[in-house]
Amino acid sequence: MCREIIGDIEKAHLLHKLFVKRILENGLYFKQFFILEYIYENPDCNQADIAKHFHVSSATMTVSTQKLQKSGFIEKAVSENNLRCKCISLTEKGKSEVEKIRSAFDNYDRNTVFSGIDSAELEIFQKCLKKINRNMELAEGIKTSESHDDVISEIIGKLCKDN
């Protein structure tokens, strides 16, 4: 039964990836969307802030931000407080893309993924999934954290290191 459940989780993950592939346009990759979303939530952050958040090297983040800048999603400006530091902000194109993708996720989750599932079923499912995730986090050496965002950023960082 466990193998069957894992198979169902893998299937859901692959179906989700199909959805993500369909909604991401303009040559934007899923990992890049997380970077754009971080910048959206943290206006005028710098490259070091982003690298620290995603647990990746400055060099890795330099490559990612250069691609995003070249695609017109972000812009860099020299910091008034530190001439060696560049603040990163979203362009209008970047803001629009984040808002469009967030809206698509919200609609997909609400109207497709969780359609026909009542709140009691969702609560049980969430409790089980949290236990499964915690077991896998421990197996992968992910630090214990109360913050969902911290765990996600560490996982994304580990994935980025592999590419």
Side-chain angles (χ1 to χ4, degrees):
M1 181 170 189
C2 291
R3 187 68 235 151
E4 221 176 295
I5 292 169
I6 293 296
D8 287 340
I9 292 170
E10 288 171 344
K11 180 180 176 182
H13 174 72
L14 291 172
L15 288 166
H16 186 263
K17 285 184 84 153
L18 275 177
F19 164 74
V20 169
K21 184 178 179 182
R22 182 168 41 87
I23 66 163
L24 291 180
E25 298 172 357
N26 303 319
L28 188 66
Y29 295 100
F30 195 54
K31 291 174 192 171
Q32 291 173 318
F33 171 69
F34 281 111
I35 294 169
L36 291 180
E37 193 169 42
Y38 178 84
I39 298 167
Y40 187 91
E41 295 295 329
N42 300 277
D44 296 319
C45 58
N46 62 47
Q47 214 162 270
D49 296 332
I50 303 168
K52 183 179 177 184
H53 178 76
F54 290 109
H55 305 273
V56 297
S57 69
S58 293
T60 297
M61 196 48 60
T62 296
V63 172
S64 295
T65 56
Q66 285 174 342
K67 289 178 182 177
L68 290 168
Q69 186 177 19
K70 187 176 179 180
S71 297
F73 291 111
I74 65 169
E75 54 193 9
K76 297 178 182 182
V78 176
S79 170
E80 295 174 7
N81 302 331
N82 181 350
L83 297 178
R84 292 174 44 188
C85 182
K86 290 185 179 178
C87 293
I88 298 175
S89 59
L90 295 177
T91 61
E92 284 306 314
K93 177 182 177 181
K95 287 178 192 172
S96 174
E97 193 71 12
V98 169
E99 290 166 358
K100 181 185 89 175
I101 292 169
R102 279 181 166 186
S103 177
F105 274 109
D106 289 345
N107 289 331
Y108 185 71
D109 291 346
R110 187 175 32 263
N111 300 321
T112 303
V113 176
F114 297 108
S115 176
I117 303 172
D118 67 39
S119 60
E121 291 171 315
L122 283 175
E123 192 174 319
I124 292 167
F125 178 69
Q126 185 178 31
K127 285 180 183 178
C128 291
L129 198 53
K130 283 182 181 284
K131 288 179 182 180
I132 291 167
N133 283 336
R134 185 66 194 125
N135 292 341
M136 292 191 309
E137 288 164 15
L138 289 169
E140 294 302 324
I142 305 293
K143 295 178 199 162
T144 302
S145 174
E146 292 297 315
S147 167
H148 175 76
D149 290 343
D150 288 347
V151 172
I152 293 294
S153 67
E154 187 173 348
I155 293 167
I156 292 168
K158 286 180 180 264
L159 290 169
C160 287
K161 287 178 185 174
D162 294 340
N163 293 332

